[in-house]
Amino acid sequence: MSAISDRVVPSSGHSGWLVWIGAASMSFLAVFALALAVSAARLADTWSAALAQSATIRISAPPAELEGQTEAVLEVLRTTPGIRDARVMTVEEQGQLLSVWLGPDLPLDALPLPRMIEVWETADGPDRQGLRLRLSAEAPGAIYDDHTQWRRPLISAATRLRGLSVLALLLIGGVTGVIIALAASAAMASNAQVIHVLRLVGARDRFIARAFVRRMTRRAALGAAIGTALGMLAVAGLPAFGPEATSGLGFQGLSWLAPLCVPVLIAGVALLAAAATALKVLRGVT
Amino acid sequence: MIELQDVTHDYGGGALFENVTASLDPGSFHFLTGPSGAGKSTFLKLCYGELRPSRGSVAVGGSDLRAMSRDELAAMRGTIGVVHQDCQFLDHLDVRANVGLPLHATARPVADRDIEDLLSWVGLNAQADALPPTLSGGERQRAALARAVITAPRLLLADEPTGNLDWDMSQRLLSLMIELNRMGTTILIATHDMNLIRTAKSQVSSRVLRIAGRRLQSAGADL
Ligand SMILES: Nc1ncnc2c1ncn2[C@@H]1O[C@H](COP(=O)(O)OP(=O)(O)OP(=O)(O)O)[C@@H](O)[C@H]1O
Ligand SMILES: [Mg+2]
């Protein structure tokens, strides 16, 4: 009997295509917005985790004073609470860092390189203001750089990006709802005679609405499944960039499960939009 | 079963009938006659709530239609059977599904046996899988009657149910309605067919109402 309840609304009609294509396109877009949101969140996490507990001390001083100031800095660090470890970078390591910018085969000896000390902070970190004061007293050429100045804009850019992609997801949901609502009211208008007959035989609004809503939801879910699958393929096909596994744009590991929610959410939006529209239309028709 | 109190109906071009008061008792058998265009179909539509009277009140089974919510009106329609003059099928569903529609639409159990029995009674076994637009006028009316009685309704309103049928088939449908009436269904048939009315009168105690000149009269025995 449910078979006939499903068929009381004829399946023909162009609104079917609208739902189908609309849901597929919106899902495709939603997968991209989701990929952006997930990547942005991951980048923000990675950057803040990697940078939060590290700092660099740069010592620029005449060659004669360099050794002394380095010793003094290390001594200050040893006696400062909140510092886990510190290590003087070798000239080769500095060369590696610079080669990213200046190319290989740098004549390191010819460059007046400052001395670099890598510092690892504890979770709570040191009292940075106090540390800077002590350093300027003990080693005037030392500058404590906790990376905040370039960490902040990066992290806030990533956070902003994530916010924007969440906004995009909301817009996609809203547009999907509008498409479904329009399609539902078009379907009901073109099936006015069917609704009339159903009313004559005693069907309630709920029964009639369900017949339309089921059809809409099923089409939307199918379209969304296809759109999502294509979106996931497209994201999987994005070229990875950067050496680290975390640097790519897209899904990784468990986050591949996130786009699987898209068809479910799109179908949910379709169901709500179609049901609200159908009941509203039926209330206006006697 | 049906009560009309001072009912006036006007489609907009002047009253079709005025101050009609009528009462059909439960279990009664009525015919409604009158010239074409007098308002027979309109009268029936008022009874099942497709139309609202311009003035006056209509009650079915003791409930005033004006006071009903849409769900209550639907529930009322689920308990009555109507043969519409223009049949009102779902053209994309086969005859079998159309006959079962009042049960499907109200989530009542559908016994396939009952549908088959009814289809064979009205002589439509061979057309069970056909779509309504492919049926002849008479076949449509038979299917419409089958749909109207599938719910074993307490009230049957039939608008020209035999208009396109040969005499034998008219008799057959009439005897189906008489049988239902014996089992308690209130019957109201709108028809022009005086032979049908005479035949019915010889088998069941029935009354004839006549709409003419904006009035509803009870016709005498002078048919
Ligand atoms: N929806 C409508 N809008 C305007 N006028 C209508 C409407 N329906 C019917 N009428 C008019 O009301 C009058 C009565 O129509 P109705 O169908 O009730 O007559 P009837 O007695 O059933 O006629 P018939 O015997 O030919 O079926 C007719 O003149 C018709 O043109
Ligand atoms: Mg008529």
Side-chain angles (χ1 to χ4, degrees):
Chain A
M1 68 161 265
S2 65
I4 291 192
S5 314
D6 277 353
R7 283 191 293 132
V8 292
V9 179
S11 57
S12 59
H14 32 271
S15 57
W17 277 101
L18 181 61
V19 171
W20 209 97
I21 299 288
S25 316
M26 288 299 132
S27 309
F28 190 80
L29 295 179
V31 170
F32 278 100
L34 199 57
L36 200 57
V38 166
S39 317
R42 189 175 53 229
L43 285 182
D45 279 356
T46 316
W47 285 335
S48 45
L51 300 177
Q53 291 172 26
S54 71
T56 316
I57 293 175
R58 195 170 68 238
I59 306 167
S60 316
E65 290 172 32
L66 200 54
E67 277 315 311
Q69 290 208 13
T70 305
E71 277 311 308
V73 167
L74 287 175
E75 182 54 30
V76 166
L77 289 174
R78 260 194 294 280
T79 56
T80 304
I83 300 295
R84 195 151 49 79
D85 201 1
R87 190 179 66 87
V88 180
M89 269 194 200
T90 63
V91 177
E92 288 72 33
E93 284 173 326
Q94 285 182 270
Q96 262 172 17
L97 283 181
L98 289 174
S99 68
V100 174
W101 308 102
L102 304 176
D105 306 325
L106 273 177
L108 290 174
D109 303 337
L111 288 172
L113 285 180
R115 182 65 54 86
M116 303 284 281
I117 298 177
E118 264 188 297
V119 179
W120 289 274
E121 302 172 348
T122 63
D124 292 337
D127 162 19
R128 297 198 177 84
Q129 208 52 43
L131 181 56
R132 285 202 179 92
L133 281 175
R134 281 185 66 194
L135 284 175
S136 64
E138 306 276 338
I143 292 171
Y144 186 84
D145 176 10
D146 61 2
H147 306 156
T148 29
Q149 85 204 44
W150 63 280
R151 177 172 89 200
R152 276 222 190 91
L154 271 184
I155 291 171
S156 80
T159 310
R160 187 95 41 96
L161 196 59
R162 189 182 51 183
L164 286 176
S165 36
V166 168
L167 181 65
L169 282 171
L170 292 178
L171 288 176
I172 288 170
V175 171
T176 306
V178 170
I179 291 176
I180 301 290
L182 287 176
S185 62
M188 297 189 78
S190 66
N191 285 298
Q193 176 60 17
V194 169
I195 295 174
H196 178 67
V197 171
L198 288 173
R199 285 229 156 106
L200 290 179
V201 299
R204 293 173 172 218
D205 285 2
R206 234 181 304 151
F207 174 87
I208 302 171
R210 212 184 300 140
F212 282 95
V213 169
R214 266 201 213 144
R215 170 145 291 152
M216 292 282 159
T217 308
R218 211 170 288 167
R219 281 196 185 132
L222 186 68
I226 291 173
T228 302
L230 293 177
M232 285 171 74
L233 282 178
V235 169
L238 284 178
F241 52 87
E244 298 148 69
T246 51
S247 64
L249 192 62
F251 304 108
Q252 273 155 18
L254 277 182
S255 69
W256 274 107
L257 294 179
L260 297 182
C261 303
V262 168
V264 178
L265 291 178
I266 293 277
V269 168
L271 185 120
L272 291 179
T277 309
L279 289 173
K280 201 176 111 206
V281 170
L282 289 172
R283 263 195 295 276
V285 182
T286 30
Chain B
M1 179 58 67
I2 300 181
E3 307 271 349
L4 279 78
Q5 267 294 322
D6 284 324
V7 169
T8 296
H9 194 75
D10 186 344
Y11 278 113
L16 195 53
F17 39 76
E18 276 178 328
N19 301 325
V20 166
T21 297
S23 172
L24 279 65
D25 292 334
S28 62
F29 199 120
H30 282 84
F31 287 99
L32 179 63
T33 65
S36 177
K40 300 182 294 297
S41 298
T42 304
F43 185 95
L44 294 188
K45 285 176 184 173
L46 290 168
C47 292
Y48 62 83
E50 184 179 338
L51 293 175
R52 307 247 150 168
S54 313
R55 274 206 307 281
S57 68
V58 179
V60 173
S63 315
D64 191 331
L65 299 195
R66 281 176 309 187
M68 286 186 184
S69 67
R70 273 204 321 287
D71 277 355
E72 287 166 344
L73 187 65
M76 182 277 280
R77 284 176 177 169
T79 67
I80 71 176
V82 182
V83 178
H84 304 273
Q85 193 165 12
D86 46 1
C87 295
Q88 304 278 8
F89 294 121
L90 291 184
D91 287 343
H92 64 287
L93 293 183
D94 61 26
V95 168
R96 185 184 287 112
N98 267 289
V99 169
L101 194 61
L103 298 173
H104 295 297
T106 51
R108 282 178 281 186
V110 181
D112 293 336
R113 265 298 299 279
D114 293 352
I115 295 182
E116 299 307 325
D117 285 353
L118 205 46
L119 283 174
S120 69
W121 179 264
V122 298
L124 285 179
N125 278 112
Q127 284 81 12
D129 298 318
L131 294 180
T134 67
L135 300 184
S136 74
E139 287 166 342
R140 289 169 67 80
Q141 283 183 321
R142 281 137 67 192
L145 182 65
R147 184 181 76 180
V149 303
I150 188 71
T151 57
R154 58 183 176 147
L155 168 65
L156 176 67
L157 304 170
D159 199 349
E160 307 279 2
T162 60
N164 292 308
L165 297 178
D166 60 68
W167 181 242
D168 283 348
M169 190 49 83
S170 301
Q171 296 265 54
R172 197 173 166 80
L173 296 200
L174 179 65
S175 59
L176 174 63
M177 293 186 273
I178 290 174
E179 191 54 42
L180 278 173
N181 179 247
R182 294 216 168 98
M183 297 186 324
T185 303
T186 310
I187 309 265
L188 174 59
I189 303 173
T191 184
H192 293 115
D193 188 345
M194 291 302 151
N195 283 329
L196 189 75
I197 297 178
R198 274 187 216 105
T199 312
K201 281 193 158 269
S202 68
Q203 296 175 44
V204 66
S205 118
S206 57
R207 303 186 58 185
V208 179
L209 304 172
R210 185 177 161 79
I211 305 182
R214 299 199 272 170
R215 293 268 173 268
L216 182 74
Q217 308 141 4
S218 202
D222 55 322
L223 275 162

